[in-house]
Amino acid sequence: MIRRRLYIEERMSRLAVWSLRTAIFAFPVTFIGAVLFATETLDFRSALYTVLAGVGVAALALALALAGFVVIWNEGLKGLWRVIGAAALALVLIMPTATLAAFGMGVRNLPDVTTDPLDPPHFVTLGAARSRAANSLVYPGDRLAVMQLDLYPGIKPMTFDAPPDEIFRGLLTLAKRHKWLIVDAVPPGDGRDGRVEAVARSLPFGLRDDLVIRVRPIATGTRVDMRSSARSGDADFGSNARRISQLFAELADQQGRPLRR
């Protein structure tokens, strides 16, 4: 007698299939936004919207994966590993974004910080080199100055007894140590202010900040002023003020003299 075996093919969960497809699709969307920002093809705001679109697709994939898991559990369908893979891929995109968003909520933002709000150092070379999509380099004036005084009251000019050319050389050394891209460096001389213009990257997004340092001869030595301005967007995650404070502390330590505010 020939015995027949009955094979019952388990059906694949459509939710499992589409959750994995959606999660995979979210990666190139997010990657394209990041690459376009890194190459300055898109400004920060447009690139951010592209990245957030990718994260939104990842969130949809996670929702589909959770729904697929419930269906597979209740109906015994195939596709468990697909929903697990979809959920893992989605979380890879969602978790860093959620972490950065939480980090940004606790940081004081100011897109343009200067040690001299009344006469801020002026950008010359960078003013001509930046794209039209970048923030304006015209200092906003009293409104921003009042905000800065409230958020960062310690951001003030520095004065040294050392001659301007010595301070200028020290600043160039520190700028190179920080691996800033030095765009222009005009040494002080014949009553002329020295000027260093540079571009720095800031965390957490690798945003570009434009910097200008002014070295001004005074009767008692040298006065140093600095300005750090976010190139894109309204948020700097505290990097502008932090950068100025750090550089001034390093300069004071380098000169071996207590700084005078």
Side-chain angles (χ1 to χ4, degrees):
M1 178 181 291
I2 299 176
R3 296 182 179 180
R4 296 180 179 179
R5 295 181 179 179
L6 181 62
Y7 292 93
I8 301 176
E9 183 178 358
E10 294 180 345
R11 293 182 296 117
M12 174 66 69
S13 168
R14 290 186 179 181
L15 285 172
V17 173
W18 281 104
S19 65
L20 185 58
R21 289 177 180 177
T22 305
I24 293 174
F25 176 71
F27 264 83
V29 175
T30 307
F31 180 75
I32 288 172
V35 169
L36 290 178
F37 171 70
T39 57
E40 294 191 310
T41 305
L42 286 180
D43 61 277
F44 173 70
R45 191 179 299 277
S46 300
L48 179 62
Y49 288 155
T50 305
V51 171
L52 290 179
V55 175
V57 174
L60 175 60
L62 181 60
L64 291 174
L66 293 176
F69 178 80
V70 173
V71 171
I72 290 171
W73 182 269
N74 290 334
E75 300 183 14
L77 302 181
K78 294 171 62 178
L80 178 61
W81 287 109
R82 297 195 183 204
V83 298
I84 292 176
L89 290 175
L91 289 173
V92 167
L93 295 178
I94 294 173
M95 290 303 295
T97 306
T99 302
L100 290 175
F103 170 77
M105 292 177 63
V107 176
R108 299 179 294 181
N109 292 295
L110 204 61
D112 199 333
V113 178
T114 179
T115 57
D116 189 354
L118 297 178
D119 181 24
H122 295 290
F123 292 94
V124 178
T125 304
L126 280 171
R130 302 203 320 174
S131 67
R132 294 182 178 179
N135 292 341
S136 173
L137 286 176
V138 177
Y139 188 71
D142 293 342
R143 179 185 60 83
L144 198 65
V146 171
M147 293 176 59
Q148 178 181 313
L149 183 62
D150 180 55
L151 294 176
Y152 305 109
I155 299 295
K156 297 179 181 179
M158 286 175 52
T159 58
F160 285 97
D161 298 330
D165 57 341
E166 179 182 333
I167 298 298
F168 183 81
R169 289 194 299 270
L171 285 168
L172 285 179
T173 299
L174 293 175
K176 293 175 182 177
R177 182 183 303 171
H178 284 283
K179 298 182 179 179
W180 296 341
L181 175 61
I182 299 176
V183 178
D184 196 6
V186 179
D190 298 328
R192 176 191 63 206
D193 293 342
R195 188 184 73 256
V196 177
E197 295 187 58
V199 180
R201 292 274 191 167
S202 62
L203 296 175
F205 297 106
L207 301 176
R208 291 177 178 85
D209 294 332
D210 294 318
L211 324 174
V212 56
I213 307 170
R214 182 174 63 202
V215 181
R216 173 167 290 173
I218 58 177
T220 57
T222 307
R223 167 173 166 157
V224 180
D225 283 286
M226 182 174 177
R227 182 179 170 193
S228 182
S229 178
R231 181 173 294 189
S232 302
D234 299 326
D236 73 323
F237 296 92
S239 63
N240 288 319
R242 183 168 55 248
R243 183 178 296 113
I244 293 175
S245 296
Q246 181 179 3
L247 181 69
F248 277 18
E250 291 174 351
L251 183 60
D253 183 65
Q254 178 194 73
Q255 295 299 316
R257 302 177 178 90
L259 64 87
R260 291 184 289 146
R261 294 284 188 177

